[in-house]
Amino acid sequence: MSLVILTVSCASPEKARYFNKLGDETFPRQELVSAHVIRKADILSINVSSINIEENQIFNAPNVAVVPGLVNENPTHGAGYLVDNDGMISFPMIGNVKVEGLNKKQVSELIREKLISAKLMLDPIIAVRILNFRVTVLGEVASPKIINVPNEKITLMEALGMAGDMTLYAKRDNVLLIREEGDEKITRRLNLNNKELLESPYYYLRANDVIYVESNSVKLQNTSRLNQLLPTVLSGLAFLAIIIDRYR
């Protein structure tokens, strides 16, 4: 135990802090990226409202069953419209609607136009939400987990906080972000010791982002030393048990 404490104490305090040398400063407000692009297997909540209550009930009837796991973690979610393998959803009275590749605003406008052009409603208001907006935090944090985000807004720091924060063994200056953009996956290395993160386009997370926190050299050294010392300690305990047993 003393070896572990000594090793941790040798680590640089600056590397264990967030936003080194950050004083009283003002950063420009970032425009939250709202243009999440709808993908296959996304689950959409689409709410239609108008002055006709009966019409509202017809269009607001969900077309898929409750998603296993999703509702267990977020009881408020309920069912939604599942984007199928062709990028379509099946909407009441309209039929199949291609939503893959669109953002929420575009989906809302598309459905509104279809309802009006089909003379099904006069002036509907369409609200679209993404029910499966979630991020994953892995690695050297207190509680690695998948985090569901009902309000579709979460920062990197909030996600780390919900995962119990990084441990003392975490690399705060080299956090890995994995993000899906179109048909590609991009990776970015983020430095949480640097105040420039607050102005980074990766400070706000997007749906399905993965955050991986690596272990620092202190953790690796402690693990290596423990692996080397463990056989010796076990042998000593076994020898001690034999001595005690003989002198009973």
Side-chain angles (χ1 to χ4, degrees), residues 27-158:
F27 295 89
R29 179 180 178 181
Q30 293 187 41
E31 290 298 326
L32 185 61
V33 178
S34 60
H36 169 81
V37 176
I38 307 299
R39 295 188 292 266
K40 296 179 180 68
D42 272 349
I43 303 163
L44 307 180
S45 166
I46 302 176
N47 183 269
V48 179
S49 59
S50 69
I51 59 175
N52 191 319
I53 298 178
E54 293 182 357
E55 289 180 349
N56 296 344
Q57 293 175 343
I58 294 174
F59 293 111
N60 290 330
N63 72 334
V64 296
V66 170
V67 182
L70 184 64
V71 174
N72 293 336
E73 297 171 9
N74 293 276
T76 60
H77 274 164
Y81 293 89
L82 177 66
V83 183
D84 64 21
N85 291 332
D86 296 320
M88 303 276 195
I89 61 170
S90 179
F91 200 78
M93 309 292 289
I94 294 178
N96 290 335
V97 179
K98 180 77 171 182
V99 296
E100 183 184 11
L102 304 179
N103 60 42
K104 294 190 302 178
K105 182 178 180 180
Q106 291 169 332
V107 172
S108 174
E109 292 174 349
L110 177 61
I111 292 177
R112 184 176 188 278
E113 290 173 2
K114 286 182 176 293
L115 289 173
I116 293 174
S117 62
K119 298 182 179 180
L120 295 171
M121 304 185 83
L122 291 176
D123 190 21
I125 298 173
I126 315 297
V128 180
R129 292 180 56 229
I130 301 167
L131 295 183
N132 61 322
F133 193 113
R134 56 181 65 187
V135 298
T136 303
V137 183
L138 302 172
E140 201 62 52
V141 292
S143 179
K145 62 174 60 179
I146 296 174
I147 302 170
N148 288 304
V149 188
N151 64 351
E152 303 174 31
K153 177 183 177 182
I154 187 170
T155 68
L156 173 60
M157 305 307 296
E158 288 172 330

